[in-house]
Amino acid sequence: MNRIVLITGATSGIGLACARKFAENGDKLILTGRNEQRLFAICQELKAKGVEILALTFDVRDRDKAKQCLDELPKDWQNIDVLVNNAGLALGLEPEYEGNFEDWETMIDTNIKGLLNMTRLIVPNMVKRNSGHIINIGSVAGDAAYAGGNVYCATKAAVKALSDGLRIDVADTSIRVTNLKPGLVETNFSKTRFHGDNDRAANVYKGITPLTGDDIADVAVYAANAPAHVQIAEVLILATHQANGSVIVRK
Ligand code: NDP
Ligand code: 8X3
């Protein structure tokens, strides 16, 4: 396709799977993340396959650094065609009245304000060119709260509202906005949520075949490749034995 696709949080899970799938699709990639070494290794892997690729190291919460990195892109890399707002995380599963203030700040700053930072920095150039696609990684968690999900669910409900709002704001342009809402995907997500308690994380995926990052990346590439007049506005992607955020049948 030879578009320029920028993916946030490309060092792991869904973001990494998107990097590999968009690369297979023939797109040029700008991979962003916090872990420079991981980014470097992924770039080496994809460069060896002939992919044109750049890496930018920044935290999506750091608006100034993100702006500086984007401003410094070489001229022929500045017209980003697809923005995949993927960087995000859940921290904790405590009742709302026992939640950790710091975890709340991190989730809100990353999942909401980080996504907004990237949107605000990249979409104006899309509007100027009357062309582009924003793919936000929301979640089934944004459809309805589940036990202990409180703040994380709220951030993903915000991703839905921000996707819907942006879609309205660019409706007079050729820009498309997609909100992908995965259910259980086995990545580092639960290890992060449980602060490195790997046994507790593994239990999340016990007795069910969870989705993989590739399953979500396939839908992202499908949405990006849809004909120009087709806007895949929202997709809920669940494992077969998951019905919603709360109903998971384990065998
Ligand atoms: P992973 O933990 O495997 O990947 C998360 C990625 O986001 C990592 O690359 C991580 O980088 C990056 N990231 C986190 N915080 C920041 C930050 N402040 N700045 C830049 N990058 C950051 O989890 P997933 O792949 O599962 O998560 C990706 C997205 O998918 C998230 O938005 C998540 O909410 C969403 N999602 C996940 C589901 C699941 O079940 N796994 C289901 C529904 C949605 P680092 O390694 O530096 O932390
Ligand atoms: C990640 C999916 O159900 O663990 O957003 O919140 S869930």
Side-chain angles (χ1 to χ4, degrees):
M1 276 289 195
N2 216 27
R3 294 169 297 214
I4 297 178
V5 179
L6 185 146
I7 301 166
T8 66
T11 52
S12 163
I14 296 170
L16 175 55
C18 283
R20 292 185 174 135
K21 291 277 179 185
F22 276 104
E24 276 170 26
N25 191 54
D27 291 307
K28 300 197 317 192
L29 300 180
I30 303 175
L31 302 187
T32 84
R34 298 185 288 189
N35 184 331
E36 193 156 36
Q37 267 186 337
R38 282 285 299 144
L39 270 182
F40 181 76
I42 295 157
C43 283
Q44 290 302 103
E45 170 201 315
L46 294 175
K47 262 186 193 159
K49 294 180 177 162
V51 180
E52 286 186 70
I53 190 161
L54 288 184
L56 303 178
T57 310
F58 63 85
D59 184 315
V60 291
R61 293 171 293 178
D62 187 343
R63 190 179 299 152
D64 294 338
K65 182 77 191 296
K67 182 176 185 320
Q68 185 197 332
C69 288
L70 292 169
D71 286 347
E72 287 172 5
L73 279 172
K75 265 238 144 11
D76 54 340
W77 283 85
Q78 283 184 0
N79 290 339
I80 293 160
D81 298 297
V82 181
L83 164 62
V84 183
N85 268 321
N86 163 75
L89 76 175
L91 291 169
L93 201 60
E94 290 80 31
E96 196 167 310
Y97 58 87
E98 289 176 353
N100 177 292
F101 289 114
E102 216 172 289
D103 286 352
W104 291 354
E105 303 275 7
T106 305
M107 286 188 278
I108 291 167
D109 286 351
T110 308
N111 301 358
I112 304 178
K113 291 161 74 180
L115 175 142
L116 271 173
N117 287 340
M118 298 307 294
T119 302
R120 181 66 183 86
L121 289 170
I122 290 171
V123 175
N125 187 36
M126 291 181 174
V127 172
K128 208 182 289 169
R129 292 182 293 125
N130 191 33
S131 168
H133 194 154
I134 300 92
I135 300 177
N136 290 332
I137 306 299
S139 172
V140 65
D143 281 358
Y146 55 77
N150 45 72
V151 174
Y152 176 68
C153 294
T155 66
K156 291 300 181 178
V159 171
K160 175 177 166 48
L162 294 171
S163 304
D164 291 346
L166 181 62
R167 199 175 302 110
I168 295 165
D169 295 337
V170 297
D172 61 336
T173 75
S174 299
I175 296 167
R176 302 181 292 184
V177 181
T178 299
N179 181 25
L180 295 187
K181 304 187 299 182
L184 287 178
V185 187
E186 191 163 12
T187 62
N188 283 331
F189 178 84
S190 293
K191 291 180 191 154
T192 301
R193 167 168 254 172
F194 298 126
H195 299 283
D197 181 339
N198 291 349
D199 291 340
R200 197 172 172 201
N203 272 335
V204 173
Y205 311 106
K206 272 222 174 103
I208 184 165
T209 305
L211 299 167
T212 65
D214 279 349
D215 296 325
I216 310 309
D218 280 337
V219 183
V221 171
Y222 176 85
N225 285 352
H229 68 285
V230 178
Q231 176 169 224
I232 309 292
E234 193 169 288
V235 187
L236 176 65
I237 310 142
L238 299 175
T240 301
H241 295 293
Q242 175 170 21
N244 58 36
S246 301
V247 177
I248 297 162
V249 178
R250 298 176 193 277
K251 292 179 179 167

